[in-house]
């Protein structure tokens, strides 16, 4: 049964894929002969490149770069604007990278190598629903259904950035003095990662420069912090000695909002059922297990995961990270084609799709020593009494290992996507 389904599914997929490729997929080499690198003399090089092009679902972008010198990461709009590579949607490390445009709307790509994005190695494109390179029948659709609250952005300390002030302990007080902050505004703390960080703390901890119980800490600079609530906010650098030397900022955020900003700027993801939160490894957290290579397998063993559930990987920044990888990457402890990487702990990862999920630590040797987790997510949440359909995602054992080792569920998912893309494109004619 399983073999019949996956064979039939594979056939349909191949046919659909052929039709798709022959009819629609245009391949673009990003930057044409320049390829994907830091542009020289023109920060807007990739904007200019994209300017006169119309992209459609099924088109392929080729990012041509030398492996190890650049990479390509898809990021959110906010991360694109800030050149923040900390939470990419996915990263491809091997060039040339072929990326198929699977969905409509804005796509934001950056090079995640330090400094590259801010020097202009970034690309923002809009993808239409289909029709490839044919004449464009419709005007550009409105970019995004979710209105991005456009608060004012302040760089804390202006050109000085976020560091221990010299000669004036009240430097950040002075900076802040004549400013009025509103909900939706963004503070950019510009600092060198590893030399400073920014922690939000309570008033008492601010006064005492106590770094022990921060409300939140961002270790990757520049850090963009959206002011989400009214009232006083207290920020310090949690590196020893920095706060008491004046690297601290207190701001008051007002109730009012700027013209055109919705009162509640950042609603939670719509349609996501509130799930169960699991701390991976419980009190052990996420680290190289000692004495039991199967520690994380054992941890996951008696648990049922559903869409909307959250995995918290608790680890110390710089000592571990968490990388979602393919089954092959998991088996071989390779991050070469990572789906996503989170470098800041504790990392909260929402389980967005059914099927198998593979997480490893990307630090050398950690995965091989057992810092890896494989979970299966069922369609339904973890509400008691709702049966899952475990047979649908059991990896096939009938075929030989190798290129066909995809699970039946991912084949079906791929076919569904291919058919959806094919039929929705066909409807245009
Ligand atoms: C990528 O760039 C290299 C070096 O410029 C070139 O030789 C190669 O043909 C390019 N590949 C693609 C797919 O454009
Ligand atoms: C597009 O979909 C395919 C098949 O699901 C997937 O392998 C690929 O990573 C997707 N590409 C992007 C850019 O999401
Ligand atoms: C952060 O500081 C560096 C070095 O001073 C500067 O080059 C960069 O433009 C600043 N970034 C932002 C976002 O202000
Ligand atoms: C603002 O709200 C968003 C969404 O709830 C959250 O992810 C973010 O961390 C919040 N920022 C701050 C500074 O609290
Ligand atoms: C993460 O681990 C640290 C150190 O073991 C602990 O103090 C903290 O409470 C843990 N955080 C979470 C979210 O579990
Ligand atoms: C889940 O979906 C949200 C919103 O699309 C995205 O920001 C997040 O990265 C996704 N998480 C995973 C693990 O794919
Ligand atoms: C809470 C609040 O002041 N909301 C206002 C935000 O701005 C919009 C547009 O100016 C007003 O309509 C809201 O009343």
């Amino acid at each position: 049964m399983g073999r019949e389904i996956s064979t039939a599914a594979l056939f349909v997929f191949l046919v659909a894929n052929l039709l798709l490729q022959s009819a629609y997929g245009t391949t673009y080499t990003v930057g044409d002969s320049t390829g994907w690198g830091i542009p020289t003399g023109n920060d807007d090089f990739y904007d200019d490149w994209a300017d006169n092009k119309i992209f459609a679902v099924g088109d392929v972008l080729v990012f041509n770069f030398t492996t190890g010198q650049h990479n390509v990461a898809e990021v959110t709009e906010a991360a694109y604007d800030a050149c923040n590579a900390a939470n990419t949607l996915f990263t491809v490390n091997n060039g040339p990278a072929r990326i198929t445009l699977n969905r409509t709307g804005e796509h934001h790509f950056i090079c995640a190598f330090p400094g590259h994005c801010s020097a202009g190695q970034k690309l923002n494109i809009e993808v239409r629903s289909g029709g490839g390179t044919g004449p464009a029948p419709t005007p550009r659709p409105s970019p995004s259904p979710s209105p991005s609250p456009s608060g004012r952005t302040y760089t804390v300390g202006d050109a000085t950035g976020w560091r221990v002030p010299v000669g004036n302990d009240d430097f950040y007080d002075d900076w802040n003095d004549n400013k009025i902050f509103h909900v939706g505004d963004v503070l950019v703390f510009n600092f060198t990662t590893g030399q400073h960080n920014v922690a939000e703390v309570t008033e008492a901890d601010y006064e005492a420069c106590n770094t022990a119980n921060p409300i939140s800490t961002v270790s990757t600079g520049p850090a963009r912090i959206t002011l989400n609530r009214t009232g006083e906010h207290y920020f310090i650098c949690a590196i020893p000695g920095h706060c008491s030397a004046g690297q601290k900022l207190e701001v008051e955020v007002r109730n009012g909002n700027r013209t055109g900003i919705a009162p509640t700027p950042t609603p939670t993801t719509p349609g996501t059922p509130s799930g169960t939160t699991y701390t991976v490894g419980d009190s052990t957290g996420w680290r190289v297990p000692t004495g039991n290579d199967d520690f994380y397998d054992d941890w996951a063993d008696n648990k049922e995961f559903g869409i909307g559930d959250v995995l918290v990987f608790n680890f110390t920044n710089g000592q571990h990270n968490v990388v979602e990888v393919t089954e092959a990457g998991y088996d071989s402890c390779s991050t070469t084609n990572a789906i996503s990487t989170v470098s800041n702990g504790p990392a909260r990862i929402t389980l967005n799709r059914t099927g198998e999920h593979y997480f490893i630590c990307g630090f050398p040797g950690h995965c091989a020593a057992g810092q890896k987790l494989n979970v299966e997510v069922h369609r339904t949440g973890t509400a008691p009494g709702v049966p899952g359909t475990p047979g649908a995602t059991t990896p096939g054992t009938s075929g030989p290992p190798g290129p066909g080792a995809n699970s039946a569920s991912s084949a079906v998912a791929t076919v569904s996507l291919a058919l959806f893309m094919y039929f929705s494109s066909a409807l245009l004619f």
Side-chain angles (χ1 to χ4, degrees):
M1 178 70 178
R3 177 185 272 174
E4 276 172 46
I5 286 177
S6 54
T7 307
L10 189 64
F11 176 73
V12 174
F13 164 64
L14 288 173
V15 170
N17 207 22
L18 277 174
L19 287 167
L20 255 178
Q21 282 178 358
S22 58
Y24 303 113
T26 303
T27 297
Y28 295 92
T29 300
V30 174
D32 297 322
S33 62
T34 299
W36 179 239
I38 299 178
T40 48
N42 177 6
D43 283 7
D44 296 328
F45 176 76
Y46 291 105
D47 272 353
D48 294 349
W49 175 81
D51 228 20
N52 56 347
K53 296 186 181 58
I54 297 169
F55 301 96
V57 166
D59 287 353
V60 175
L61 297 182
V62 179
F63 291 82
N64 191 15
F65 59 88
T66 306
T67 304
Q69 291 184 7
H70 304 282
N71 64 15
V72 55
E74 187 169 358
V75 296
T76 62
E77 183 176 359
Y80 177 86
D81 289 340
C83 283
N84 178 354
N87 293 301
T88 63
L89 302 176
F90 67 81
T91 306
V92 185
N93 294 312
N94 285 359
R98 293 175 63 85
I99 295 183
T100 303
L101 300 169
N102 287 352
R103 57 170 179 81
T104 57
E106 299 277 336
H107 289 61
H108 302 88
F109 300 100
I110 66 173
C111 176
F113 278 58
H116 289 203
C117 170
S118 52
Q121 196 177 3
K122 58 198 298 196
L123 172 70
N124 170 24
I125 61 166
E126 186 178 340
V127 177
R128 294 189 177 186
S129 59
T133 51
T138 51
R140 283 166 82 89
S142 59
S144 167
S146 61
S148 56
S150 50
R152 193 168 294 176
T153 297
Y154 295 90
T155 300
V156 174
D158 297 322
T160 298
W162 180 240
R163 57 189 181 81
V164 179
V166 283
N168 178 5
D169 283 6
D170 296 329
F171 175 77
Y172 291 105
D173 274 353
D174 295 348
W175 173 80
N176 159 23
D177 228 21
N178 55 349
K179 295 185 180 61
I180 298 169
F181 301 96
H182 294 261
V183 166
D185 287 352
V186 175
L187 298 181
V188 179
F189 292 82
N190 191 14
F191 59 88
T192 306
T193 304
Q195 291 185 9
H196 304 281
N197 61 21
V198 54
E200 187 169 356
V201 295
T202 62
E203 182 177 2
D205 287 347
Y206 176 85
E207 301 297 351
C209 282
N210 177 5
T211 61
N213 298 301
I215 297 164
S216 65
T217 306
V218 184
S219 303
T220 307
R224 292 173 66 86
I225 295 186
T226 304
L227 300 168
N228 286 354
R229 55 171 180 80
T230 57
E232 300 286 332
H233 289 61
Y234 302 93
F235 300 99
I236 65 172
C237 177
I239 306 283
H242 289 201
C243 170
S244 51
Q247 195 176 3
K248 58 198 299 194
L249 173 71
E250 173 187 356
V251 299
E252 184 180 342
V253 178
R254 295 225 182 148
N255 209 351
N257 65 49
R258 299 188 188 281
T259 311
I261 302 172
T264 51
T266 48
T268 51
T269 318
T272 305
S274 59
T276 307
T277 296
Y278 296 92
T279 300
V280 173
D282 296 323
S283 64
T284 298
W286 178 241
R287 56 189 183 80
V288 178
T290 48
N292 177 4
D293 283 8
D294 296 329
F295 175 77
Y296 291 105
D297 272 353
D298 294 349
W299 174 82
D301 228 21
N302 56 349
K303 295 185 181 62
E304 287 269 314
F305 301 96
I307 286 196
D309 287 353
V310 175
L311 298 181
V312 179
F313 292 80
N314 192 12
F315 60 88
T316 306
N317 289 354
Q319 292 185 10
H320 304 282
N321 65 10
V322 53
V323 185
E324 186 169 358
V325 295
T326 60
E327 183 178 1
Y330 177 86
D331 289 339
S332 63
C333 283
S334 164
T335 58
T336 300
N337 292 306
I339 296 166
S340 65
T341 304
V342 185
S343 303
N344 284 357
R348 295 176 62 86
I349 295 187
T350 305
L351 300 169
N352 287 354
R353 56 171 181 77
T354 57
E356 301 283 339
H357 290 60
Y358 302 92
F359 301 100
I360 67 175
C361 177
F363 279 59
H366 290 202
C367 169
Q371 194 176 3
K372 58 197 298 195
L373 172 70
N374 169 23
V375 299
E376 185 178 340
V377 178
H378 295 279
R379 188 166 303 279
T380 53
T382 50
V386 186
T389 51
T393 50
T394 306
T397 50
S398 51
N406 270 344
S407 72
S409 70
S410 65
V412 169
T414 310
V415 169
S416 308
L417 179 66
L419 287 176
F420 170 75
M421 284 160 58
Y422 172 59
F423 285 120
S424 50
S425 304
L427 279 176
L428 292 177
F429 291 111

